[in-house]
Amino acid sequence: MVALPVQVFKWGIFNVAYEPPRRYLGPDKSPLTLLRALFELSTYVWRFLFDILRIAPSVFFIYAASTAWLGSITAISLHMTCLILQQIEALAREKAHKMPYVPIELIVTISTWIALVVASVLMKRLKEDKELLLCGHLRAHFLPSFAKLSLSADIKFIHDQSARRHFPNSASFSEGGPGWNLLKGLAERSQALISFISESVVVYLVLCQKTLWDRWLLGGLLGLFFLVLIFSPSNGVSGAGYTFWTTNHAFNRLHRLYLIIFDPKFRETLAKDGLNESLYHEYRKCSSNLGVVKSDVITLACVLPPSWYWAVLRSLVLDYPMALCALILPWSSSPFLITTIVFFQSVTNVLGRTFERLQRVFDQRSISQLLAHAQALYRPLDQRNESQRKTVQYSPPGVKKGMDFHVRDVTFRYQGSTAGSTALKKISITIPANSFVLLVGSNGSGKTTLLKLIGGLLEPNSGEILVGGMPLADFEPLSVRKHTTFLMQSEEIYPMSLRENLLMAIPDFTLSKEEIQEKIDEAVQIGGAMQLIDRVGYEAILNPPTILAQSLQGCGNGIIGEAAIRELERNTLQRSAPISSGERQRFLAARSFMRLLNSDTRLLMVDEPTSGLDLVAERNLFEEFYRRSDGKTTIFVTHRFGSLAKQADMIVCMKNGEIVEAGRHDELMRLGGEYAGLYEAQQGIPRA
Ligand SMILES: Nc1ncnc2c1ncn2[C@@H]1O[C@H](COP(=O)(O)OP(=O)(O)OP(=O)(O)O)[C@@H](O)[C@H]1O
């Protein structure tokens, strides 16, 4: 095993561990990593810029111009400082000859400077404004593609957690989203580069005005300044992040006691056991055992000063450049050293800040992050979705014929579950067209999983499912689902009106308003949801989404006042209509009937939609589905199958992810196995 380059040292009672920083080196310790990342980033940057130029050229130009302005304003300021200093010098000389007036050029220079300060504030505003507008343009441009991508990813979007995590979404161009970060990151880096280059040019021009000897002196001082800037650590571990811990028993015990005392979640238990008093004494005892500790956990997490010699050097060079410059006075050939010293102080301040910014934004980690933002935005757009590539369209068999299925050696395990918890283990079953199948079994035996596989909502890990003799996986999924009505066990009601929910069950409806209303009423009637509709109406939205509309603390905003929150709630929060679980299930059933009655359904699957219903309502619901199962293959999953068992063409009994029995009711009863046990338990017949 390769030993990690970790360094550990003592800090009071704590141990501190850190990895020596490798600012421009990647994890492979090679400087090429940064170059590779920069190269890859550049390909995305060109693409991004090209996209922006296509979408909103004028906004982009204003944004770029304001960024360039803000980047160069520090250099302009430096130049103005230099001019003013020179003019003050001249004034001082004239004063010496008793001519006390403020020269017009000094007034002009100062006025120009003030104008530039005002212009900078306005430019900053303009930039922020255009940044928001640009993000708005990008959002409007990219979001339809993201929506398409998300919808075409189909079931992968549900099951592939890692893909879902990296999927661009509606927040991609909001604060913190990859698009936002990419835009801001590029602007920040461009601004830092422009600042550094323009400031360096100004310094060079000023140095050129000096005598050769002074140029060398000042240049040497500046070189020293940059060396300290590059090598001096900003904290005790050379600017690296660090971990810390302590093996001090008293400290650790005190820390635990502290948690018990101050975390309200323990208060009830403490009070119940009457431990308040004794805990206080324990705390006192432990605290005096520990004595005085120079740093607590939070302070140590923030403060770890560098070694004293670095602190002295850094302070001398960075904080007191004027003092450093004064040291070279005796060797300078310039007669006006005071202005030179003041200028040097300004230069080091400005260049120092810019250089540190540059180091930060072109650091290996920072570039990798920017690259990750670019990849998060573009990579999913570049990946062609597999389901899009499937072009084989499913066409249903002749009229009045349902789908037939051959499930062959199908194994399925949910993502993230352990090898031992396979949901389906090498299942094989044939479901003939137009058959009525009852799927039964104990909780967790795999019934829902099997339905989802047949419905194409899951893909087997191994084995295959044939529909009409062809692999289900080869068909374009939507073409199969168009002919499927599937009432799932846990189905969502969309945050739309109930009417829209019902209409969404059949995407391509082309009837008149009155006809549609008739169809809707019919489905609601059969599903038994009339009472709910009478109570809340078709336009009710059962679960309206809440609108997030408040400022975030920590980015310049204060705490939001109660009145403002109340006002927000009053204006944006729609109240959800209260609904019982039975009403919910009836409505979902109505939505399925809407689809069943108005589409060319060849596969009807109903997965135990009845847990909130009483026995009679449940039987009626299944009867209603069964009555409309003509010309369809029908699969019901229910724990209360007593009334349906004798009608079923085939009963499939599952246990622990396997099919243990399959056949007609009488056959399985004669077997006296798992199914017979379940059936008798339902009928209240004690087992022999
Ligand atoms: N989304 C999921 N992620 C991980 N494991 C799951 C998931 N859904 C189901 N399982 C597991 O897969 C196995 C089969 O579950 P499934 O829902 O298919 O059983 P079921 O027979 O329909 O159960 P029930 O009668 O309770 O509805 C169970 O062990 C279950 O815990």
Side-chain angles (χ1 to χ4, degrees), residues 40-56 60 63 131 134-135 137-139 141-142 146 172-173 177-187 370 373-375 377-378 381:
E40 198 180 339
L41 179 64
S42 69
T43 57
Y44 287 111
V45 170
W46 290 126
R47 199 168 156 190
F48 191 57
L49 291 181
F50 182 70
D51 278 339
I52 296 178
L53 275 172
R54 230 167 8 108
I55 300 163
F60 174 67
Y63 182 67
E131 196 163 72
L134 211 49
C135 276
H137 277 286
L138 291 168
R139 200 177 290 129
H141 172 79
F142 277 93
F146 296 164
S172 288
F173 288 95
W180 170 278
N181 284 338
L182 184 59
L183 182 69
K184 290 205 54 141
L186 291 177
L370 195 64
H373 294 312
Q375 287 169 339
L377 200 64
Y378 281 108
L381 285 175

Side-chain angles (χ1 to χ4, degrees), residues 303-344:
V303 186
L304 197 58
S307 316
W308 67 268
Y309 43 89
W310 271 118
V312 169
L313 190 61
R314 206 179 149 88
S315 193
L316 194 64
V317 176
L318 302 184
D319 301 340
Y320 300 104
M322 205 183 246
L324 198 70
C325 196
L327 289 178
I328 61 159
L329 266 174
W331 292 280
S332 171
S333 62
S334 167
F336 294 103
L337 268 169
I338 300 299
T339 48
T340 307
I341 290 174
V342 175
F343 177 69
F344 187 75

Side-chain angles (χ1 to χ4, degrees), residues 196 226 229-230 351-360:
F196 189 69
F226 278 114
L229 215 57
I230 291 169
L351 262 180
R353 257 182 284 138
T354 306
F355 189 73
E356 279 185 340
R357 191 147 54 108
L358 213 58
Q359 270 190 318
R360 190 166 30 85

Side-chain angles (χ1 to χ4, degrees), residues 493-552:
I493 296 179
Y494 304 113
M496 309 277 221
S497 70
L498 293 181
R499 177 190 304 284
E500 283 166 300
N501 261 279
L502 290 164
L503 284 174
M504 281 168 89
I506 31 166
D508 46 2
F509 219 43
T510 48
L511 293 174
S512 72
K513 237 174 151 182
E514 291 72 29
E515 286 169 320
I516 290 176
Q517 190 56 50
E518 269 176 36
K519 300 271 180 199
I520 289 179
D521 286 341
E522 183 190 8
V524 166
Q525 190 74 48
I526 302 170
M530 216 58 216
Q531 249 180 335
L532 170 71
I533 298 298
D534 287 345
R535 191 163 63 77
V536 300
Y538 276 122
E539 305 313 324
I541 301 172
L542 295 186
N543 45 354
T546 50
I547 300 168
L548 189 70
Q550 55 187 48
S551 58
L552 292 173

